[in-house]
């Protein structure tokens, strides 16, 4: 039997009772934290909670060696991760592979940034369009796709949830500031290449920075990109929301809860 168990957003207390029961009952617990991780907890606290050792796997052991799949042919195995297990497409592939080789599976869901970020931002969840992710730029790698996804969503009057790159093996987590600077660099590239018609957001655009969602130290700050780009959001994990046309209830939330400029109330 192979269980996929989501740990939730921030610390070991986010795990569901069902997930806790499973982790206490299985033979071996494996963990991967390169798709997400819990910043409010550590392995020792998790191990104390479930009463057994957690075997942390690197990306190669998870995606190439499939250690947990091999073990699950004869033992009860749990693979844990931050957030919700099936948000990462890697895990849906494992579910399919387990089915193909005759391993029984069960998914224990956890709270996810996909649902929590729209909620805490005060934006109506059903008005969100395509989710996009901003990657860390590298030599010869600077995709414009995150900016263009926001443009397409705005054209459809849809909000955008922007996830920010995680490189856990390098202890590197993109900040709201880095994400906004990335988007503004794409804007500059579009202008430089004569693609002004593709410009959708600029320094005057309203954005929402989110930090440490799920913790007591959560920070949600709304404002113009020009005002947020150097704002100190503190430690990870971060994400961004770009709203489209606001409903009056959304605008009031942003002003009262997220410190947005009151002028946005004039536009709804």
């Amino acid at each position: 039997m192979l269980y996929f168990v989501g740990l939730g957003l921030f610390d070991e207390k986010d795990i569901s009772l069902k997930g806790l029961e499973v982790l206490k009952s299985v033979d071996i617990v494996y963990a991967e934290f390169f798709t997400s991780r819990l910043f409010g907890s550590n392995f020792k606290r998790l191990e104390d909670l479930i009463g057994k050792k957690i075997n942390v796997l690197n990306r190669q052991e998870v995606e190439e060696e499939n250690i947990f799949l091999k073990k699950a042919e004869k033992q009860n195995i749990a693979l844990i991760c931050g957030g919700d297990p099936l948000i990462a497409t890697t895990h849906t592939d494992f579910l399919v592979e387990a089915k193909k080789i005759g391993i029984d599976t069960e998914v224990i869901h956890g709270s996810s940034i996909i649902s929590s970020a729209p909620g805490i931002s005060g934006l109506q969840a059903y008005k969100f369009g395509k989710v996009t992710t901003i990657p860390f730029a590298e030599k010869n790698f600077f995709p414009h796709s995150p900016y263009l996804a926001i443009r397409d969503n705005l054209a459809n009057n849809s909000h955008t949830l922007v996830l920010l790159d995680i490189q856990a093996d390098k202890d590197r987590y993109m900040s709201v500031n880095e994400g906004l600077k990335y988007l503004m660099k794409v804007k500059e590239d579009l202008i430089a290449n004569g693609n002004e018609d593709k410009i959708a957001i600029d320094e005057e655009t309203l954005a929402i920075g989110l930090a440490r969602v799920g913790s007591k130290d959560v920070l949600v700050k709304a404002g113009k990109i020009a005002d947020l780009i150097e704002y100190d959001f503190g430690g990870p994990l971060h994400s961004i929301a770009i709203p489209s046309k606001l409903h009056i209830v959304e605008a009031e939330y942003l002003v009262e809860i997220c410190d947005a400029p009151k002028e946005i109330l004039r536009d709804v």
Side-chain angles (χ1 to χ4, degrees):
M1 185 77 177
L2 176 59
Y3 296 91
F4 297 88
V5 182
L7 298 178
L9 288 168
F10 188 69
D11 62 26
E12 78 282 356
K13 295 179 182 178
D14 284 337
I15 190 171
S16 67
L17 290 175
K18 185 186 293 185
L20 184 59
E21 289 175 354
V22 164
L23 296 185
K24 287 182 175 181
S25 69
V26 296
D27 299 308
I28 306 175
V29 177
Y30 290 107
E32 70 83 358
F33 292 121
F34 57 82
T35 58
S36 181
R37 60 161 287 190
L38 302 183
F39 271 87
S41 190
N42 55 49
F43 300 135
K44 180 64 167 58
R45 283 158 61 181
L46 282 169
E47 288 174 338
D48 289 346
L49 185 64
I50 65 177
K52 55 170 58 80
K53 175 180 172 57
I54 296 173
N55 301 276
V56 181
L57 304 176
N58 60 37
R59 185 182 288 270
Q60 179 178 334
E61 291 172 321
V62 172
E63 296 183 344
E64 298 179 22
E65 299 177 20
N66 296 159
I67 294 173
F68 53 91
L69 277 174
K70 296 172 183 176
K71 292 286 187 179
E73 294 185 65
K74 296 182 179 180
Q75 295 175 284
N76 290 322
I77 303 298
L79 177 65
I80 63 175
C81 65
D84 184 276
L86 298 188
I87 295 301
T89 54
T90 298
H91 296 165
T92 60
D93 290 342
F94 297 148
L95 199 65
V96 171
E97 186 60 28
K99 178 70 172 179
K100 287 180 179 179
I101 59 181
I103 297 173
D104 291 331
T105 61
E106 183 175 344
V107 178
I108 313 297
H109 293 282
S111 53
S112 167
I113 194 65
I114 299 295
S115 59
S116 301
I120 197 68
S121 71
L123 303 179
Q124 296 169 355
Y126 65 86
K127 289 174 61 178
F128 276 78
K130 179 182 178 180
V131 177
T132 190
T133 300
I134 298 177
F136 283 111
E138 298 177 7
K139 185 177 181 180
N140 300 321
F141 180 72
F142 186 74
H144 289 184
S145 51
Y147 186 100
L148 299 179
I150 295 169
R151 181 200 63 180
D152 292 345
N153 282 341
L154 289 173
N156 292 321
N157 198 25
S158 298
H159 305 318
T160 307
L161 174 60
V162 183
L163 304 179
L164 303 177
D165 203 359
I166 293 174
Q167 294 180 351
D169 57 324
K170 300 178 181 178
D171 197 28
R172 191 181 183 200
Y173 307 93
M174 184 177 289
S175 67
V176 168
N177 317 94
E178 291 172 305
L180 293 175
K181 288 175 182 177
Y182 186 107
L183 293 174
M184 293 303 95
K185 177 64 168 63
V186 174
K187 182 209 70 171
E188 293 170 6
D189 284 359
L190 292 173
I191 293 173
N193 292 320
N195 293 314
E196 289 88 351
D197 58 315
K198 293 184 179 180
I199 300 301
I201 63 172
D202 57 25
E203 287 80 0
E204 293 300 302
T205 299
L206 181 67
I208 307 165
L210 304 103
R212 299 171 301 283
V213 175
S215 75
K216 293 181 180 180
D217 192 30
V218 60
L219 173 61
V220 184
K221 169 73 173 173
K224 295 179 180 179
I225 288 178
D227 296 327
L228 298 184
I229 207 161
E230 298 295 341
Y231 187 85
D232 183 5
F233 285 87
L237 295 169
H238 293 185
S239 55
I240 299 168
I242 304 293
S244 61
K245 183 173 176 56
L246 295 170
H247 184 276
I248 182 61
V249 174
E250 295 174 310
E252 288 178 342
Y253 182 100
L254 291 178
V255 170
E256 298 298 331
I257 305 298
C258 307
D259 198 29
K262 292 184 178 181
E263 64 191 53
I264 69 171
L265 294 170
R266 299 198 301 264
D267 300 325
V268 297

